[in-house]
Amino acid sequence: MSQSSPERHDVIIVGGGPVGLTMALALVRSAPDIKVALLDRRPLEVPRDNRASAIAAGVRRVFEALGVWDDMESQSQPITAMHITDSGQGDLARPLFLRFEGDVAPGEAFAHMVPNQASGAALLAAVEDGITVIAPAQIEDWRAEGPLARLTLSDGRALAAPLIIAADGAQSSLRQRAGIDTIGHDYGQMGLVATITHELAHEGVAYEHFRPAGPFASLPLTGNRSSLVWTETVQDAPRLLAMTPDEMALEIEAVMGSTLGQVRLEDKLTGFPLRLQLARSFIGPRLALIGDAAHVVHPIAGQGLNLGLKDVAALAEVIVESLRLGLDHGSPDVLERYQSWRRLDTAAMAAVTDGMNRLFSNDIAPVRALRDFGLGLVDRAGPVKTAMIRAASGIGGGAPKLLSGLPI
Protein backbone atom coordinates (compact mmCIF):
# COMPACT_ATOMS: atom_id res chain seq x y z
CA MET A 1 0.00 0.00 0.00
CA SER A 2 1.62 3.28 -1.04
CA GLN A 3 1.62 6.32 1.16
CA SER A 4 -0.46 8.20 -1.44
CA SER A 5 -3.41 5.81 -1.09
CA PRO A 6 -3.95 5.01 2.59
CA GLU A 7 -6.53 2.57 3.90
CA ARG A 8 -9.59 4.59 4.88
CA HIS A 9 -11.54 4.12 8.09
CA ASP A 10 -14.04 6.23 10.03
CA VAL A 11 -12.17 5.87 13.32
CA ILE A 12 -8.76 4.44 14.16
CA ILE A 13 -8.13 3.39 17.77
CA VAL A 14 -4.56 2.95 18.94
CA GLY A 15 -4.30 0.66 21.96
CA GLY A 16 -5.92 -2.73 22.49
CA GLY A 17 -6.30 -2.75 26.26
CA PRO A 18 -9.72 -2.79 27.97
CA VAL A 19 -10.33 0.91 27.27
CA GLY A 20 -9.46 0.64 23.58
CA LEU A 21 -11.47 -2.55 23.13
CA THR A 22 -14.51 -1.08 24.87
CA MET A 23 -14.22 2.03 22.69
CA ALA A 24 -14.26 -0.11 19.55
CA LEU A 25 -17.22 -2.14 20.80
CA ALA A 26 -19.22 0.96 21.78
CA LEU A 27 -18.80 2.37 18.27
CA VAL A 28 -19.69 -0.75 16.29
CA ARG A 29 -22.67 -1.59 18.53
CA SER A 30 -24.02 1.98 18.33
CA ALA A 31 -23.26 2.73 14.67
CA PRO A 32 -23.34 -0.58 12.74
CA ASP A 33 -22.05 0.90 9.46
CA ILE A 34 -19.00 2.53 11.02
CA LYS A 35 -15.56 1.34 9.88
CA VAL A 36 -13.25 1.00 12.88
CA ALA A 37 -9.61 -0.10 12.91
CA LEU A 38 -7.79 -1.02 16.11
CA LEU A 39 -3.99 -1.02 16.31
CA ASP A 40 -1.71 -2.34 19.02
CA ARG A 41 2.02 -2.88 19.20
CA ARG A 42 1.42 -6.38 20.58
CA PRO A 43 -0.82 -9.20 19.32
CA LEU A 44 -4.36 -8.91 20.69
CA GLU A 45 -4.93 -11.77 23.12
CA VAL A 46 -6.64 -12.56 26.40
CA PRO A 47 -4.50 -11.43 29.38
CA ARG A 48 -2.54 -14.32 30.88
CA ASP A 49 -2.25 -12.94 34.41
CA ASN A 50 -4.79 -13.53 37.15
CA ARG A 51 -5.18 -9.87 38.08
CA ALA A 52 -8.61 -8.28 38.46
CA SER A 53 -10.04 -4.76 38.22
CA ALA A 54 -12.66 -2.96 40.30
CA ILE A 55 -15.56 -2.06 38.01
CA ALA A 56 -17.96 0.55 39.41
CA ALA A 57 -21.72 0.18 38.98
CA GLY A 58 -21.98 2.87 36.31
CA VAL A 59 -19.20 1.29 34.26
CA ARG A 60 -20.79 -2.15 34.71
CA ARG A 61 -23.88 -0.67 33.07
CA VAL A 62 -21.71 0.20 30.06
CA PHE A 63 -20.83 -3.47 29.69
CA GLU A 64 -24.50 -4.39 30.12
CA ALA A 65 -25.58 -1.97 27.40
CA LEU A 66 -22.89 -3.36 25.07
CA GLY A 67 -23.97 -6.96 25.71
CA VAL A 68 -20.79 -8.32 27.30
CA TRP A 69 -21.56 -8.21 31.03
CA ASP A 70 -23.14 -11.67 31.17
CA ASP A 71 -19.86 -13.20 29.97
CA MET A 72 -17.98 -11.40 32.76
CA GLU A 73 -20.43 -11.68 35.65
CA SER A 74 -20.10 -15.41 36.33
CA GLN A 75 -16.41 -14.96 37.14
CA SER A 76 -16.82 -11.67 39.03
CA GLN A 77 -17.24 -10.92 42.73
CA PRO A 78 -19.66 -8.22 43.92
CA ILE A 79 -18.25 -5.81 46.50
CA THR A 80 -21.03 -5.61 49.07
CA ALA A 81 -19.23 -3.46 51.63
CA MET A 82 -16.03 -1.51 52.26
CA HIS A 83 -14.39 -1.20 55.67
CA ILE A 84 -11.83 1.57 56.18
CA THR A 85 -9.30 1.52 59.01
CA ASP A 86 -6.45 3.80 60.02
CA SER A 87 -3.33 2.69 61.86
CA GLY A 88 0.10 4.01 62.71
CA GLN A 89 3.47 2.36 62.20
CA GLY A 90 3.63 -0.78 64.32
CA ASP A 91 0.02 -0.56 65.58
CA LEU A 92 -1.50 -3.97 66.22
CA ALA A 93 -5.10 -2.79 66.34
CA ARG A 94 -7.05 -1.88 63.18
CA PRO A 95 -9.96 0.25 64.47
CA LEU A 96 -12.83 0.59 61.99
CA PHE A 97 -13.61 4.25 61.33
CA LEU A 98 -15.76 4.16 58.21
CA ARG A 99 -18.03 1.52 56.71
CA PHE A 100 -19.82 1.57 53.35
CA GLU A 101 -22.54 -1.03 52.94
CA GLY A 102 -25.60 -1.62 50.80
CA ASP A 103 -26.49 -1.28 47.13
CA VAL A 104 -26.54 1.75 44.83
CA ALA A 105 -29.93 0.44 43.71
CA PRO A 106 -31.95 -2.57 44.89
CA GLY A 107 -29.91 -5.67 44.14
CA GLU A 108 -27.12 -3.64 42.50
CA ALA A 109 -23.69 -3.71 44.17
CA PHE A 110 -21.67 -0.49 43.97
CA ALA A 111 -18.77 -2.36 42.36
CA HIS A 112 -17.57 -5.75 41.12
CA MET A 113 -14.10 -7.26 40.99
CA VAL A 114 -13.75 -8.53 37.43
CA PRO A 115 -10.81 -10.78 36.42
CA ASN A 116 -8.84 -9.23 33.58
CA GLN A 117 -9.01 -12.57 31.76
CA ALA A 118 -12.81 -12.51 31.89
CA SER A 119 -13.17 -8.94 30.67
CA GLY A 120 -10.48 -9.38 28.02
CA ALA A 121 -12.04 -12.57 26.64
CA ALA A 122 -15.53 -11.04 26.53
CA LEU A 123 -14.41 -7.86 24.80
CA LEU A 124 -12.19 -9.63 22.27
CA ALA A 125 -14.94 -12.08 21.33
CA ALA A 126 -17.43 -9.24 20.90
CA VAL A 127 -15.30 -7.06 18.60
CA GLU A 128 -13.35 -9.57 16.53
CA ASP A 129 -15.83 -9.68 13.64
CA GLY A 130 -16.83 -6.01 13.67
CA ILE A 131 -13.51 -4.20 13.37
CA THR A 132 -10.22 -4.32 11.48
CA VAL A 133 -7.46 -5.45 13.81
CA ILE A 134 -3.89 -4.50 12.93
CA ALA A 135 -1.56 -6.04 15.50
CA PRO A 136 1.28 -6.13 16.14
CA ALA A 137 1.91 -2.77 14.52
CA GLN A 138 4.43 0.00 15.13
CA ILE A 139 3.56 3.62 14.31
CA GLU A 140 6.28 5.55 12.51
CA ASP A 141 4.42 8.78 11.85
CA TRP A 142 1.20 10.61 12.67
CA ARG A 143 -0.10 13.76 11.06
CA ALA A 144 -3.39 15.61 10.68
CA GLU A 145 -4.00 16.85 7.15
CA GLY A 146 -7.23 18.76 6.48
CA PRO A 147 -10.22 16.41 6.84
CA LEU A 148 -8.11 13.36 7.72
CA ALA A 149 -5.51 12.15 10.19
CA ARG A 150 -2.95 9.77 8.82
CA LEU A 151 -0.82 7.04 10.38
CA THR A 152 2.22 5.48 8.76
CA LEU A 153 3.33 2.13 10.13
CA SER A 154 6.85 0.70 10.27
CA ASP A 155 6.01 -1.77 7.48
CA GLY A 156 5.09 1.13 5.19
CA ARG A 157 1.35 0.64 5.50
CA ALA A 158 -0.67 3.86 5.67
CA LEU A 159 -4.05 4.41 7.34
CA ALA A 160 -6.32 7.45 7.38
CA ALA A 161 -9.49 8.49 9.22
CA PRO A 162 -11.29 11.68 10.27
CA LEU A 163 -10.52 10.76 13.89
CA ILE A 164 -7.80 8.84 15.70
CA ILE A 165 -8.33 7.82 19.32
CA ALA A 166 -5.29 7.37 21.53
CA ALA A 167 -5.83 4.60 24.08
CA ASP A 168 -2.12 3.78 24.17
CA GLY A 169 -1.38 4.27 27.85
CA ALA A 170 0.39 6.68 30.16
CA GLN A 171 3.41 6.98 27.85
CA SER A 172 1.16 7.59 24.84
CA SER A 173 3.25 8.03 21.71
CA LEU A 174 0.33 9.70 19.95
CA ARG A 175 -0.01 12.27 22.73
CA GLN A 176 3.68 13.02 22.46
CA ARG A 177 3.61 13.21 18.66
CA ALA A 178 0.73 15.68 18.91
CA GLY A 179 2.81 17.85 21.26
CA ILE A 180 0.32 17.60 24.14
CA ASP A 181 2.10 18.19 27.45
CA THR A 182 1.17 16.69 30.81
CA ILE A 183 1.14 18.06 34.33
CA GLY A 184 1.56 16.11 37.55
CA HIS A 185 4.11 14.78 39.98
CA ASP A 186 5.65 11.57 41.27
CA TYR A 187 4.32 10.31 44.60
CA GLY A 188 7.57 8.70 45.75
CA GLN A 189 5.50 5.54 46.16
CA MET A 190 5.24 2.14 44.53
CA GLY A 191 2.03 0.26 43.92
CA LEU A 192 2.45 -3.41 44.80
CA VAL A 193 -0.11 -5.89 43.48
CA ALA A 194 -0.72 -9.59 44.02
CA THR A 195 -3.50 -12.13 44.41
CA ILE A 196 -3.80 -14.05 47.66
CA THR A 197 -5.82 -16.93 49.04
CA HIS A 198 -6.86 -16.70 52.67
CA GLU A 199 -8.19 -18.79 55.51
CA LEU A 200 -11.32 -16.77 56.32
CA ALA A 201 -14.17 -15.78 54.00
CA HIS A 202 -14.19 -12.13 52.89
CA GLU A 203 -18.01 -12.14 52.54
CA GLY A 204 -17.78 -9.62 49.72
CA VAL A 205 -16.09 -6.99 51.91
CA ALA A 206 -13.28 -4.81 50.57
CA TYR A 207 -10.81 -3.59 53.20
CA GLU A 208 -8.75 -0.41 52.96
CA HIS A 209 -6.11 -0.04 55.66
CA PHE A 210 -4.59 3.46 55.74
CA ARG A 211 -0.96 3.23 56.83
CA PRO A 212 1.85 5.81 57.03
CA ALA A 213 3.43 4.67 53.76
CA GLY A 214 0.10 4.63 51.94
CA PRO A 215 -3.12 2.61 51.68
CA PHE A 216 -3.26 -1.17 51.70
CA ALA A 217 -6.40 -2.53 50.02
CA SER A 218 -7.67 -6.09 49.81
CA LEU A 219 -10.45 -6.48 47.28
CA PRO A 220 -12.63 -9.60 47.23
CA LEU A 221 -12.44 -12.15 44.43
CA THR A 222 -14.45 -15.33 43.95
CA GLY A 223 -13.82 -17.97 46.60
CA ASN A 224 -11.47 -17.28 49.50
CA ARG A 225 -9.29 -15.06 47.34
CA SER A 226 -8.53 -11.35 47.26
CA SER A 227 -6.62 -8.90 45.12
CA LEU A 228 -4.09 -6.72 46.93
CA VAL A 229 -3.22 -3.17 45.97
CA TRP A 230 -0.50 -2.07 48.37
CA THR A 231 1.16 1.36 48.44
CA GLU A 232 4.69 1.59 49.84
CA THR A 233 7.50 4.12 49.67
CA VAL A 234 10.04 3.74 46.89
CA GLN A 235 12.65 3.22 49.60
CA ASP A 236 10.90 0.26 51.24
CA ALA A 237 9.26 -1.39 48.21
CA PRO A 238 12.45 -3.18 47.00
CA ARG A 239 12.75 -4.95 50.38
CA LEU A 240 9.22 -6.28 50.03
CA LEU A 241 9.65 -7.29 46.41
CA ALA A 242 12.76 -9.29 47.36
CA MET A 243 10.93 -11.38 49.98
CA THR A 244 10.19 -15.08 49.51
CA PRO A 245 6.51 -16.03 49.14
CA ASP A 246 6.40 -17.35 52.71
CA GLU A 247 8.00 -14.18 54.10
CA MET A 248 5.61 -12.04 52.10
CA ALA A 249 2.59 -14.01 53.32
CA LEU A 250 3.58 -13.31 56.93
CA GLU A 251 4.12 -9.62 56.12
CA ILE A 252 0.67 -9.39 54.52
CA GLU A 253 -0.98 -11.04 57.52
CA ALA A 254 0.70 -8.53 59.82
CA VAL A 255 -0.32 -5.55 57.69
CA MET A 256 -3.91 -6.79 57.54
CA GLY A 257 -4.05 -7.46 61.25
CA SER A 258 -5.05 -11.06 60.42
CA THR A 259 -8.39 -9.76 59.10
CA LEU A 260 -8.66 -12.74 56.76
CA GLY A 261 -6.55 -15.20 58.75
CA GLN A 262 -3.62 -17.08 57.26
CA VAL A 263 -2.78 -16.09 53.68
CA ARG A 264 -0.83 -17.52 50.76
CA LEU A 265 0.39 -15.77 47.62
CA GLU A 266 -1.27 -17.02 44.46
CA ASP A 267 1.17 -15.16 42.24
CA LYS A 268 4.33 -13.07 42.51
CA LEU A 269 4.16 -9.61 44.05
CA THR A 270 4.88 -7.01 41.36
CA GLY A 271 5.34 -3.26 41.59
CA PHE A 272 4.92 -0.10 39.55
CA PRO A 273 5.73 3.56 40.31
CA LEU A 274 2.84 5.84 41.24
CA ARG A 275 2.33 9.33 39.86
CA LEU A 276 -0.36 11.88 39.06
CA GLN A 277 -0.44 12.76 35.38
CA LEU A 278 -3.03 14.80 33.50
CA ALA A 279 -2.84 15.76 29.84
CA ARG A 280 -3.14 19.53 29.38
CA SER A 281 -5.62 18.81 26.61
CA PHE A 282 -7.66 15.67 25.97
CA ILE A 283 -7.88 16.52 22.28
CA GLY A 284 -5.62 17.53 19.40
CA PRO A 285 -6.00 17.91 15.64
CA ARG A 286 -8.28 14.98 14.73
CA LEU A 287 -7.14 13.25 17.89
CA ALA A 288 -8.88 12.31 21.17
CA LEU A 289 -7.14 10.90 24.24
CA ILE A 290 -8.86 8.37 26.48
CA GLY A 291 -7.82 6.30 29.48
CA ASP A 292 -4.28 6.53 30.79
CA ALA A 293 -3.24 8.51 27.70
CA ALA A 294 -5.38 11.34 29.12
CA HIS A 295 -5.04 10.83 32.88
CA VAL A 296 -3.29 8.73 35.52
CA VAL A 297 -4.48 9.01 39.13
CA HIS A 298 -3.47 7.41 42.42
CA PRO A 299 -5.07 3.95 42.90
CA ILE A 300 -6.25 4.89 46.41
CA ALA A 301 -9.91 4.92 45.27
CA GLY A 302 -9.66 2.29 42.52
CA GLN A 303 -10.86 4.73 39.87
CA GLY A 304 -8.18 4.53 37.18
CA LEU A 305 -9.86 2.08 34.79
CA ASN A 306 -13.29 3.44 35.63
CA LEU A 307 -12.25 6.92 34.54
CA GLY A 308 -11.05 5.50 31.23
CA LEU A 309 -14.31 3.67 30.61
CA LYS A 310 -16.25 6.84 31.43
CA ASP A 311 -14.18 8.51 28.69
CA VAL A 312 -15.37 5.77 26.35
CA ALA A 313 -19.03 6.38 27.20
CA ALA A 314 -18.72 10.13 26.60
CA LEU A 315 -16.63 9.99 23.43
CA ALA A 316 -18.73 7.23 21.85
CA GLU A 317 -21.89 9.28 22.40
CA VAL A 318 -20.32 12.40 20.89
CA ILE A 319 -19.06 10.49 17.84
CA VAL A 320 -22.27 8.55 17.17
CA GLU A 321 -24.54 11.57 17.53
CA SER A 322 -22.29 13.56 15.20
CA LEU A 323 -22.42 10.81 12.57
CA ARG A 324 -26.23 10.70 12.78
CA LEU A 325 -26.37 14.45 12.18
CA GLY A 326 -23.96 14.22 9.26
CA LEU A 327 -21.27 16.21 11.06
CA ASP A 328 -17.51 15.77 10.87
CA HIS A 329 -16.89 13.65 13.98
CA GLY A 330 -13.21 14.62 14.07
CA SER A 331 -13.75 18.38 13.91
CA PRO A 332 -12.59 20.65 16.76
CA ASP A 333 -16.15 21.60 17.74
CA VAL A 334 -17.20 17.97 18.12
CA LEU A 335 -14.08 16.96 20.02
CA GLU A 336 -14.43 19.94 22.36
CA ARG A 337 -17.80 18.55 23.45
CA TYR A 338 -16.03 15.38 24.57
CA GLN A 339 -13.31 17.31 26.36
CA SER A 340 -15.70 19.61 28.21
CA TRP A 341 -17.74 16.58 29.29
CA ARG A 342 -14.78 14.75 30.79
CA ARG A 343 -12.30 17.37 32.06
CA LEU A 344 -14.20 18.44 35.19
CA ASP A 345 -14.94 14.90 36.40
CA THR A 346 -11.36 13.82 35.77
CA ALA A 347 -9.87 16.87 37.49
CA ALA A 348 -12.16 16.36 40.48
CA MET A 349 -11.17 12.69 40.85
CA ALA A 350 -7.49 13.59 40.50
CA ALA A 351 -7.84 16.21 43.24
CA VAL A 352 -9.72 13.81 45.53
CA THR A 353 -7.26 10.94 45.16
CA ASP A 354 -4.27 13.26 45.46
CA GLY A 355 -5.69 14.87 48.59
CA MET A 356 -6.60 11.53 50.17
CA ASN A 357 -3.10 10.21 49.61
CA ARG A 358 -1.53 13.31 51.17
CA LEU A 359 -3.92 13.21 54.11
CA PHE A 360 -3.56 9.53 54.94
CA SER A 361 0.03 8.71 53.94
CA ASN A 362 1.65 9.99 57.13
CA ASP A 363 1.98 9.11 60.80
CA ILE A 364 1.61 12.58 62.32
CA ALA A 365 -0.47 12.12 65.49
CA PRO A 366 -2.54 15.37 65.31
CA VAL A 367 -3.32 14.75 61.63
CA ARG A 368 -4.34 11.18 62.38
CA ALA A 369 -6.63 12.33 65.17
CA LEU A 370 -8.35 14.89 62.94
CA ARG A 371 -8.81 12.54 59.98
CA ASP A 372 -10.12 9.74 62.20
CA PHE A 373 -12.58 12.17 63.75
CA GLY A 374 -13.66 13.18 60.26
CA LEU A 375 -14.07 9.56 59.17
CA GLY A 376 -16.22 8.93 62.21
CA LEU A 377 -18.46 11.88 61.37
CA VAL A 378 -18.89 10.64 57.78
CA ASP A 379 -19.67 7.16 59.07
CA ARG A 380 -22.59 8.55 61.07
CA ALA A 381 -23.88 10.75 58.23
CA GLY A 382 -26.01 8.42 56.11
CA PRO A 383 -26.85 10.87 53.27
CA VAL A 384 -23.17 11.83 52.93
CA LYS A 385 -22.11 8.20 52.65
CA THR A 386 -24.84 7.53 50.09
CA ALA A 387 -23.70 10.48 47.98
CA MET A 388 -20.08 9.32 48.16
CA ILE A 389 -21.02 5.79 47.07
CA ARG A 390 -23.05 7.07 44.12
CA ALA A 391 -20.22 9.38 43.04
CA ALA A 392 -17.63 6.59 43.22
CA SER A 393 -20.02 4.27 41.37
CA GLY A 394 -20.21 6.66 38.42
CA ILE A 395 -23.96 7.18 38.79
CA GLY A 396 -25.40 10.66 38.63
CA GLY A 397 -27.20 13.24 36.56
CA GLY A 398 -25.74 14.35 33.26
CA ALA A 399 -23.84 11.11 32.72
CA PRO A 400 -23.46 9.62 29.22
CA LYS A 401 -26.22 7.22 28.21
CA LEU A 402 -24.05 4.11 28.41
CA LEU A 403 -23.33 4.82 32.09
CA SER A 404 -27.07 4.55 32.66
CA GLY A 405 -27.24 1.29 30.74
CA LEU A 406 -28.99 2.97 27.82
CA PRO A 407 -28.07 2.58 24.13
CA ILE A 408 -26.70 5.62 22.38
Side-chain angles (χ1 to χ4, degrees), residues 304-339:
L305 178 58
N306 290 295
L307 282 177
L309 295 173
K310 290 178 184 179
D311 295 343
V312 169
L315 182 57
E317 188 165 330
V318 167
I319 292 172
V320 171
E321 290 185 349
S322 298
L323 288 171
R324 289 171 180 166
L325 293 172
L327 303 176
D328 177 358
H329 57 284
S331 69
D333 289 346
V334 170
L335 295 183
E336 183 57 43
R337 289 176 53 209
Y338 158 67
Q339 174 164 254

Side-chain angles (χ1 to χ4, degrees), residues 17-311:
V19 172
L21 285 171
T22 307
M23 185 77 244
L25 183 60
L27 291 175
V28 298
R29 289 284 166 88
S30 305
D33 295 331
I34 195 171
K35 293 181 63 177
V36 176
L38 189 146
L39 281 67
D40 198 278
R41 58 187 178 86
R42 294 164 294 196
L44 286 190
E45 57 186 14
V46 176
R48 297 178 182 179
D49 62 65
N50 64 349
R51 302 281 190 257
S53 301
I55 300 299
V59 171
R60 193 208 70 244
R61 292 177 182 181
V62 173
F63 290 144
E64 285 181 339
L66 297 178
V68 292
W69 176 245
D70 286 348
D71 293 329
M72 302 180 191
E73 185 177 17
S74 62
Q75 302 177 58
S76 301
Q77 170 64 48
I79 298 178
T80 58
M82 174 170 282
H83 294 176
I84 297 176
T85 67
D86 189 10
S87 60
Q89 191 70 35
D91 287 359
L92 296 178
R94 299 291 186 273
L96 178 62
F97 288 99
L98 183 58
R99 180 196 315 257
F100 293 105
E101 292 180 326
D103 303 330
V104 295
E108 183 177 13
F110 57 80
H112 283 73
M113 288 299 295
V114 181
N116 293 346
Q117 290 184 357
S119 58
L123 290 168
L124 281 170
V127 302
E128 61 183 357
D129 294 329
I131 66 173
T132 299
V133 175
I134 305 172
Q138 188 69 37
I139 296 173
E140 288 293 324
D141 188 37
W142 163 88
R143 65 184 64 184
E145 300 173 328
L148 295 173
R150 178 170 173 151
L151 292 178
T152 304
L153 307 184
S154 58
D155 62 2
R157 192 173 179 180
L159 311 171
L163 176 63
I164 295 179
I165 300 174
D168 52 345
Q171 304 303 318
S172 171
S173 66
L174 282 178
R175 186 190 65 229
Q176 296 175 35
R177 290 176 187 275
I180 300 174
D181 294 330
T182 62
I183 58 174
H185 55 262
D186 291 321
Y187 283 114
Q189 296 171 322
M190 291 281 288
L192 308 178
V193 294
T195 303
I196 62 169
T197 59
H198 39 78
E199 178 184 10
L200 304 178
H202 51 59
E203 299 181 342
V205 178
Y207 296 92
E208 183 125 38
H209 306 282
F210 286 119
R211 306 170 64 243
F216 178 102
S218 62
L219 306 169
L221 302 174
T222 54
N224 277 20
R225 302 164 56 248
S226 292
S227 176
L228 300 186
V229 183
W230 182 354
T231 301
E232 273 293 346
T233 64
V234 292
Q235 293 78 19
D236 203 38
R239 175 185 67 83
L240 297 168
L241 291 167
M243 285 184 173
T244 66
D246 289 342
E247 291 172 335
M248 179 51 58
L250 292 174
E251 183 80 9
I252 291 169
E253 289 177 28
V255 172
M256 297 178 71
S258 298
T259 302
L260 297 173
Q262 187 175 3
V263 306
R264 180 177 63 83
L265 264 73
E266 197 170 89
D267 56 14
K268 184 179 180 181
L269 188 75
T270 57
F272 55 94
L274 300 181
R275 65 176 283 106
L276 172 67
Q277 179 176 288
L278 299 177
R280 289 188 178 275
S281 176
F282 287 8
I283 60 175
R286 301 206 168 271
L287 178 69
L289 311 181
I290 60 175
D292 286 355
H295 42 70
V296 177
V297 300
H298 197 284
I300 192 169
Q303 290 296 308
L305 178 58
N306 290 295
L307 282 177
L309 295 173
K310 290 178 184 179
D311 295 343

